[in-house]
Amino acid sequence: MPHTDILAVLAERITDQQFVRLIARMLKAGVQTPGGVVQDELGSPQGSMVSPVIAHVCLDKVLDQWVATTVKAHGRGYVELMRDADDTLLVFAREDDAPRVMRVLPVRLAKFGVRLNAQNTRLVPVGTRAAWRALKAGLHPPTRDFLGFTHDWGRSRRGLVRRQRQTSKKRLRRALVVINRGLRQERHERQRPDLWQAMARKLCGHFNDVGVTDNSPALWPCDHAVQRLVFKWLNRRSQRRSFSWARFRRYAARHRLPRPGPLISLNPVWRKAPCRGLCGKTAGRLL
């Protein structure tokens, strides 16, 4: 989105001109790259602290209000929009509404200088009927990634078709990269108990964040991968090995890291799922 259009949208909500000029300076600050500072007249700088706020404010005018006033009024069935920053999911009850909206959506966005990502934009049948037909034919229903989860279809214990969610491979890989980088940088800066507590807090936050129904197959591999990373970097604090696997398991048994606990149910009932770790907090949701 051009900077002029971004500032015009922000000026509709912000009356303080000095604040708008400050945002304009942040847009023109550029991004530091190995080849130098790169400046662009389109969009907000990648990684800037104003990028999520700008995305929410601008897309509220460009997309949210348009769907609420125009798409829902002309749709033949139920239409709902779910969006987090620039990740958007449009749900249609009638199959014929989706192609009509997809034809006019690029035109609507082009009025504000916004373009769709062609690689990540697609129409996917997500209804129970379409999933049942695919499973009955021996095919795998199409999946979609949204908000860090891969949304899929499977069968319940009674053989019924039901939604399933697992941590997306991209999000799991990113979490392991962050933990590996933190262990590598802090293995000499922290004492072993402090480093162990830091890993416990990170694991507890991750399990509380993604510990939802049907996600156990993604939680336990993450737990095993973190155990291997901790064992690896604790043995690289000096030239001598600090642990063998037998001694590491005994130490982990005395100082337990959080493990995947009871999952938060995404069924429309109250569920409480405490993290089996050191955080001591109970997560509850009503969805």
Side-chain angles (χ1 to χ4, degrees), residues 58-188:
C58 293
L59 286 179
D60 177 71
K61 177 178 178 60
V62 175
L63 190 60
D64 297 3
Q65 297 180 18
W66 176 68
V67 171
T69 58
T70 304
V71 176
K72 290 186 177 181
H74 294 84
R76 300 175 182 176
Y78 174 81
V79 180
E80 190 58 58
L81 179 140
M82 290 166 280
R83 183 177 62 80
D84 179 69
D86 58 346
D87 294 330
T88 306
L89 190 67
L90 271 168
V91 182
F92 302 90
R94 292 180 58 95
E95 187 175 354
D96 53 349
D97 282 339
R100 294 192 297 113
V101 174
M102 284 297 295
R103 286 195 298 268
V104 300
L105 182 59
V107 180
R108 166 67 181 181
L109 297 180
K111 293 181 179 179
F112 299 88
V114 181
R115 299 188 305 274
L116 281 175
N117 189 333
Q119 297 180 352
N120 297 333
T121 303
R122 55 176 178 155
L123 289 174
V124 179
V126 297
T128 307
R129 187 175 302 174
W132 175 257
R133 288 197 299 262
L135 292 174
K136 192 175 181 180
L139 304 175
H140 195 282
T143 62
R144 62 203 181 278
D145 291 347
F146 187 64
L147 299 182
F149 289 94
T150 298
H151 300 262
D152 199 357
W153 288 90
R155 293 183 182 273
S156 65
R157 296 178 180 178
R158 295 184 296 173
L160 301 177
V161 177
R162 60 188 297 271
R163 297 182 183 90
Q164 295 179 347
R165 301 166 184 86
Q166 289 190 8
T167 308
S168 64
K169 294 181 179 179
K170 182 179 179 181
R171 180 174 183 175
L172 180 59
R173 191 182 305 113
R174 184 171 63 245
L176 293 177
V177 167
V178 171
I179 291 176
N180 183 67
R181 186 185 303 118
L183 284 169
R184 181 180 181 181
Q185 294 176 351
E186 298 179 2
R187 71 185 190 276
H188 296 304

